[in-house]
Amino acid sequence: MFTSRRLILATVAAALLSGCASPNPYDNQGQAQSGQGVSRTAKYGGLGALAGAVAGAAIDHNNRGKGALIGAVVAGAASAGYGYYADRQEAQLRASMANTGVEVQRQGDQIKLIMPGNITFATDSSAIAPSFYSPLNNLATSFKQFNENIIEIVGFTDSTGSRQHNMDLSQARAQAVATYLTSQGVDTTRLAVRGMGPDQPIASNADANGRAQNRRVEVNLKPIPGQQYEAPAQQ
């Protein structure tokens, strides 16, 4: 029993330390760091190893030490794989979206792109604005290179006008983005489209500046459940 416990602890410690020690080519760019200076790759790998060790020990009742070791290695590798994949994609998106007006955010295991109304669509229109084509082309290029995400496209409006009109308009705008990305070679089976209308505002609708912020399109990149991830080679 004592030996099994030491094996579990050693396995988890090794996974955490190896994750922290592994060089991350994007550490100096700021987007792949956690609050304490540990890359998401290391964080996901270490936490995955811990969860895997617990699960492995629970599954193999006859040899908990062996089960923990197997669980830690498998789960840790899978988690670190997505963490590194997302780090790479985030860095590529930040570079390609620079100076376009598109904001790139990282929220745990998801990447969010916020596209403000001043570059996306004219007022009360779902026709793609000329200023929006360049960011969309960059997105299409990234999505074809990093082709193992779920891509959720969500349209939003301000609160001006009827709710039903805004729901329809936001859906049409999200669909216009999806249609254009598909025309540029992005696999349509990866795309999900939603219109949220005036729901989930990010600013006050009481003034023009706030309404402009609320008129936006968001693209959320999410991992595919159960997918094994390996980041594509650098171009």
Side-chain angles (χ1 to χ4, degrees):
M1 177 65 70
F2 182 68
T3 301
S4 296
R5 288 178 179 173
R6 281 207 287 185
L7 179 59
I8 294 172
L9 291 173
T11 299
V12 174
L16 288 169
L17 289 173
S18 64
C20 294
S22 298
N24 187 322
Y26 304 106
D27 281 349
N28 295 327
Q29 298 185 27
Q31 74 278 6
Q33 294 280 19
S34 71
Q36 299 301 317
V38 179
S39 74
R40 290 184 177 88
T41 303
K43 180 172 67 176
Y44 294 150
L47 293 178
L50 178 60
V54 173
I59 292 170
D60 192 342
H61 298 287
N62 296 323
N63 192 335
R64 292 182 182 274
K66 179 181 178 182
L69 177 61
I70 294 172
V73 170
V74 173
S79 299
Y82 181 71
Y84 182 58
Y85 184 94
D87 285 351
R88 290 282 305 279
Q89 186 173 23
E90 180 187 4
Q92 195 267 2
L93 285 168
R94 287 186 183 278
S96 65
M97 293 295 109
N99 302 316
T100 65
V102 175
E103 180 181 354
V104 181
Q105 296 181 353
R106 181 72 174 269
Q107 300 177 349
D109 63 353
Q110 298 182 28
I111 300 172
K112 179 188 293 289
L113 299 107
I114 302 176
M115 306 169 186
N118 65 318
I119 67 168
T120 54
F121 301 95
T123 301
D124 201 30
S125 172
S126 61
I128 294 173
S131 57
F132 199 19
Y133 283 109
S134 179
L136 286 179
N137 289 336
N138 291 343
L139 280 184
T141 298
S142 177
F143 293 164
K144 287 184 289 184
Q145 180 184 358
F146 291 85
N147 59 2
E148 299 181 21
N149 297 88
I150 295 171
I151 304 170
E152 181 186 52
I153 303 169
V154 189
F156 298 89
T157 67
D158 61 33
S159 60
T160 305
S162 73
R163 177 176 177 80
Q164 187 58 56
H165 177 72
N166 285 328
M167 294 299 292
D168 293 343
L169 178 61
S170 63
Q171 179 74 24
R173 287 175 167 175
Q175 186 59 58
V177 171
T179 299
Y180 185 77
L181 291 175
T182 299
S183 75
Q184 298 304 301
V186 178
D187 185 356
T188 187
T189 63
R190 299 172 59 201
L191 302 176
V193 175
R194 282 194 299 154
M196 296 294 291
D199 295 346
Q200 300 180 12
I202 58 175
S204 172
N205 279 303
D207 59 77
N209 182 61
R211 290 192 294 273
Q213 293 182 60
N214 292 331
R215 295 192 297 269
R216 68 196 190 278
V217 174
E218 294 184 358
V219 175
N220 303 311
L221 306 179
K222 304 179 179 182
I224 300 172
Q227 177 73 35
Q228 296 296 313
Y229 286 90
E230 181 178 350
Q234 290 183 333
Q235 299 297 310

